[in-house]
Amino acid sequence: MLRCTLLVCGRGVVRLLASSFCSESSALPPNLLLPTNLVDPSRSKRPPPPADCPLPLLRSCDAVVPAHLSAVQTWVETLEARGSEPLGWAQLHPDVFAVAPRLDILHEVETWQKNFKRISHANTKIRSEVRGGGRKPWNQKGSGRARHGSIRSPIWKGGGVSNGPRGPTSYFYMLPMKLRVQGLKVALSSKLAQDDLHIVDSVNISSPDPQDLLHLIREKLWGESVLIVDVGEEFPENILQATASLKTVNIIPAIGLNVHSMLKHEAVVLTLESVRFLEEKLLWHDQRYTPLYPYKLPYSDLP
Amino acid sequence: MSFPKKPASKALGILQNLPRISLANLRPEPGAKKAETRRGRGQHGGNRSGRGHKGERQRGTRPRLGFVGGQTPFYLAIPKYGYNEGHSRRPQYQPLSLRRLQYLIDLGRVDPTHPVDLTQLVNARGVTVQPLKRDYGVQLVDEGADIFSAKINIEVQRASEGAVAAIERNGGVITTSYYDPISLGILIKPVPFFLRGQPIPKRMLPGEDMVRYYTDAESRGYLADPEKIQQARLALALKYGYTLPDISKDELYHMLSMRKDVRQIFFGLAPGWVVSMPEKKILKPTDEKLLKYYRS
């Protein structure tokens, strides 16, 4: 029931409801803000490319697809032209883009990303570090007051903290390499399954204006925030200028792809080269040997 | 026969109709995160905080482990005997069964057309040797001798008689040789050693407790007399009841007869040479004293 109500309420349904009331004045306020992760039925869920698609196949899988699986097929679009017609279709490897949606792995990798960099600098002084408190305040016996040994003991006001945070503490830990790799694969598969992954031929756009890029994204109904992923050290000037001032549209190199960024942005846009790069890197871990020494050192038999 | 369904297709299909996965939707698997016990808090953790009632238990003044109230404790009453004396200094050999060796050869992880060395076995991830834990190498165990059918030139540190028989029955060659701990560490991980930039050391000879094993023809030691080894091969063939195949007529005879020099660690590299990996060069010493030392 909740899902039905969620499906009914949607950003685009504002238009639906407004159109149904077009004879009378719309009962919905014009500045209605709905949460952005509600499923929008008006968003055109383009069906996946059929077997007899007239558009060309722009990319097939480089790695061998196992016999019991079949490649995932998606549309390839373009950022240059304003129309929302796809250029062609591409095949993606199922062991990267159609793995089981392990939400618990996503949660683990996301908490790791958040916490492994954390160093908490909270520090309190214990009774020996608080200034003063070396002398016994009054005699043990005879004064009528409670017996005390130092004015900085934890039961005193102004005294040291007995069990407080002690100095910079590191929360560093590393998850196994294969778990982090699986997290990336699960994130890519989930984005693809929920129609939030878009393949683009290249990252060249026609103008460096940020508003143009926003119009393009709104036309294609990609979502509120977009993460653009490309391979290489140099990016075209236009896209860099366009995304520099935008908060919700960001561009990263393919080596910087991570689960947190993918979940934070509603849509993820990959170029064909970045798809090739990611497939190569992520599939390697399925068939590698365990390391005898760090992988950075030269190996003769591993590729 | 049922057709294999694509794994995860059902879950991904369900996901298409669910709200978008975002940072606000993530949660751990129910039951994965167990809350830690906090002593001294609440109705169950508080009061005596799990310490019991009065006495040394609650007050934390229990005596040391093994104390039995004053009576001579068990660990002092029993007299000593050297069962475990020097146990941490005894050489250990990681077992390698013939079954595992056959498995590695069948999968193509170990190449039988080249001499099989400890480096090859470790590169194939067939065995894990830890020289720092008093491992002196690998020992061949004869489990799987009945399925073993590969002709290889193998060099291990210890071998059981059945394993030797199984290898020679298939026309292979087995040698047992000694590696001192430093040479062993270099042998199993050659690349980190080469990156150190040190010259390859010469392999040390076995100590007096091991010399007897490695000069024995029965155990195919590398210091033994080749004629005695041939006689031992014939004797073993008679004992186990198989005909010893003649390797000299084999096409791989050259490969099967490749053996390392007594002081050599790697095939093709002599002691004293420096391997420079970034420049991809081998540097050999030219000084007479060094050559004399490394050749001794």
Side-chain angles (χ1 to χ4, degrees):
Chain A
M1 199 203 80
L2 192 62
R3 213 181 296 143
C4 301
T5 47
L6 285 174
L7 283 169
V8 162
C9 317
R11 224 172 331 125
V13 170
V14 176
R15 275 179 259 144
L16 248 175
L17 293 170
S19 65
S20 63
F21 297 135
C22 67
S23 53
E24 18 175 297
S25 63
S26 171
L28 298 161
N31 56 349
L32 177 68
L33 256 176
L34 289 165
T36 50
N37 68 340
L38 295 179
V39 172
D40 197 347
S42 77
R43 223 175 98 206
S44 56
K45 282 199 179 182
R46 200 188 281 138
D52 54 348
C53 185
L55 295 170
L57 169 66
L58 295 174
R59 184 205 176 250
S60 57
C61 288
D62 300 323
V64 171
V65 174
H68 66 291
L69 302 168
S70 55
V72 188
Q73 286 157 355
T74 24
W75 298 106
V76 175
E77 300 177 27
T78 176
L79 286 176
E80 289 176 37
R82 288 295 284 259
S84 58
E85 287 305 312
L87 278 184
W89 58 288
Q91 282 187 332
L92 304 173
H93 202 286
D95 275 337
V96 173
F97 289 93
V99 299
R102 289 282 303 268
L103 303 181
D104 57 327
I105 293 186
L106 280 184
H107 168 81
E108 247 192 84
V109 176
E110 160 61 33
T111 39
W112 167 75
Q113 264 192 274
K114 202 170 141 189
N115 290 335
F116 85 105
K117 290 184 251 197
R118 178 177 169 207
I119 298 179
S120 110
H121 293 277
N123 185 24
T124 54
K125 290 183 164 41
I126 55 171
R127 60 183 287 175
S128 61
E129 289 170 357
V130 179
R131 181 99 172 165
R135 182 175 60 207
K136 195 168 166 62
W138 45 78
N139 291 353
Q140 178 81 359
K141 302 186 76 62
S143 66
R145 286 170 288 185
R147 50 193 178 179
H148 288 294
S150 123
I151 55 167
R152 301 300 187 202
S153 97
I155 53 180
W156 279 64
K157 171 185 175 298
V161 180
S162 21
N163 289 319
R166 289 297 287 150
T169 35
S170 148
Y171 289 82
F172 175 78
Y173 67 103
M174 286 308 281
L175 286 178
M177 202 191 292
K178 289 189 188 175
L179 191 58
R180 288 176 269 142
V181 163
Q182 190 65 19
L184 282 173
K185 289 178 184 168
V186 169
L188 286 168
S189 310
S190 321
K191 283 287 177 193
L192 186 63
Q194 297 194 310
D195 293 326
D196 286 328
L197 190 76
H198 306 280
I199 314 287
V200 145
D201 57 340
S202 83
V203 103
N204 301 317
I205 47 173
S206 41
S207 84
D209 190 13
Q211 294 308 316
D212 276 357
L213 188 58
L214 281 177
H215 287 315
L216 189 80
I217 290 168
R218 203 172 303 148
E219 239 179 45
K220 293 190 192 277
L221 299 171
W222 278 354
E224 289 284 310
S225 49
V226 177
L227 182 69
I228 307 176
V229 182
D230 191 18
V231 187
E233 295 171 8
E234 305 286 329
F235 290 141
E237 276 296 324
N238 278 357
I239 190 81
L240 285 177
Q241 271 185 18
T243 49
S245 55
L246 286 175
K247 199 167 113 174
T248 53
V249 181
N250 299 314
I251 181 161
I252 53 166
I255 23 174
L257 190 65
N258 59 89
V259 164
H260 175 81
S261 302
M262 281 204 273
L263 293 177
K264 187 144 176 82
H265 294 81
E266 288 188 6
V268 174
V269 170
L270 302 174
T271 55
L272 289 172
E273 290 88 38
S274 60
V275 166
R276 188 191 46 80
F277 174 85
L278 287 170
E279 275 192 9
E280 188 196 317
K281 293 280 174 182
L282 295 177
L283 285 171
W284 179 72
H285 288 277
D286 285 343
Q287 297 211 332
R288 61 171 170 93
Y289 276 146
T290 68
L292 295 170
Y293 41 86
Y295 283 119
K296 289 198 167 55
L297 304 185
Y299 274 85
S300 62
D301 43 358
L302 289 184
Chain B
M1 178 175 117
S2 61
F3 281 101
K5 290 175 214 162
K6 274 189 284 193
S9 57
K10 212 166 166 183
L12 290 171
I14 295 169
L15 205 60
Q16 281 172 351
N17 296 325
L18 290 176
R20 186 181 282 127
I21 299 176
S22 70
L23 295 172
N25 290 343
L26 292 180
R27 58 187 73 83
E29 194 74 13
K33 303 280 180 195
K34 194 168 157 74
E36 63 168 39
T37 45
R38 292 185 71 214
R39 305 281 185 181
R41 301 282 187 280
Q43 180 189 2
H44 303 291
N47 201 10
R48 295 197 198 90
S49 309
R51 295 290 308 224
H53 174 67
K54 278 190 182 177
E56 286 175 340
R57 291 160 201 247
Q58 194 175 13
R59 292 168 179 145
T61 46
R62 266 202 259 216
R64 63 187 180 277
L65 188 68
F67 185 71
V68 286
Q71 172 184 294
T72 314
F74 173 80
Y75 71 93
L76 287 180
I78 306 298
K80 277 203 226 179
Y81 185 79
Y83 292 115
N84 294 330
E85 190 175 338
H87 72 285
S88 57
R89 283 180 220 214
R90 288 190 201 141
Q92 297 177 3
Y93 297 91
Q94 183 74 7
L96 173 67
S97 65
L98 288 171
R99 196 171 140 208
R100 178 122 177 109
L101 187 56
Q102 185 64 49
Y103 172 81
L104 295 169
I105 293 171
D106 288 340
L107 285 178
R109 279 156 71 161
V110 161
D111 189 9
T113 55
H114 288 90
V116 172
D117 197 11
L118 188 54
T119 325
Q120 302 303 317
L121 290 169
V122 166
N123 281 352
R125 310 300 192 273
V127 284
T128 308
V129 182
Q130 298 167 298
L132 296 173
K133 300 284 180 196
R134 274 71 64 194
D135 272 355
Y136 272 61
V138 139
Q139 55 176 325
L140 216 48
V141 166
D142 51 350
E143 179 195 336
D146 42 349
I147 19 172
F148 190 76
S149 58
K151 183 167 64 173
I152 42 168
N153 173 7
I154 190 160
E155 191 205 48
V156 284
Q157 280 67 56
R158 293 253 145 170
S160 68
E161 208 184 30
V164 172
I167 297 209
E168 289 181 348
R169 183 201 345 242
N170 289 303
V173 168
I174 176 162
T175 331
T176 47
S177 56
Y178 173 78
Y179 287 90
D180 57 290
I182 298 179
S183 311
L184 192 71
I186 295 168
L187 185 69
I188 54 174
K189 289 188 188 173
V191 173
F193 171 73
F194 294 145
L195 289 170
R196 269 180 248 166
Q198 293 165 2
I200 300 174
K202 45 180 192 177
R203 212 198 320 171
M204 293 289 121
L205 292 167
E208 48 178 275
D209 48 342
M210 299 219 208
V211 146
R212 206 158 145 230
Y213 182 85
Y214 290 108
T215 43
D216 200 9
E218 300 286 319
S219 37
R220 310 289 185 272
Y222 69 131
L223 299 169
D225 204 2
E227 286 157 13
K228 292 211 182 107
I229 289 185
Q230 189 55 29
Q231 289 167 15
R233 280 162 63 95
L234 290 164
L236 200 68
L238 280 173
K239 179 178 174 186
Y240 276 77
Y242 58 87
T243 47
L244 187 67
D246 195 3
I247 10 169
S248 54
K249 297 197 180 89
D250 202 340
E251 53 195 17
L252 291 169
Y253 174 63
H254 173 70
M255 185 281 290
L256 288 174
S257 59
M258 267 170 88
R259 288 174 92 181
K260 286 186 196 170
D261 181 52
V262 172
R263 294 287 199 178
Q264 198 184 12
I265 299 184
F266 296 109
F267 275 118
L269 293 175
W273 293 2
V274 179
V275 173
S276 162
M277 295 211 64
E279 294 165 24
K280 301 207 170 133
K281 283 192 190 150
I282 299 181
L283 310 166
K284 303 180 190 178
T286 47
D287 191 26
E288 268 179 36
K289 282 191 198 157
L290 285 174
L291 289 170
K292 195 170 152 204
Y293 168 77
Y294 281 117
R295 237 176 262 146
S296 64

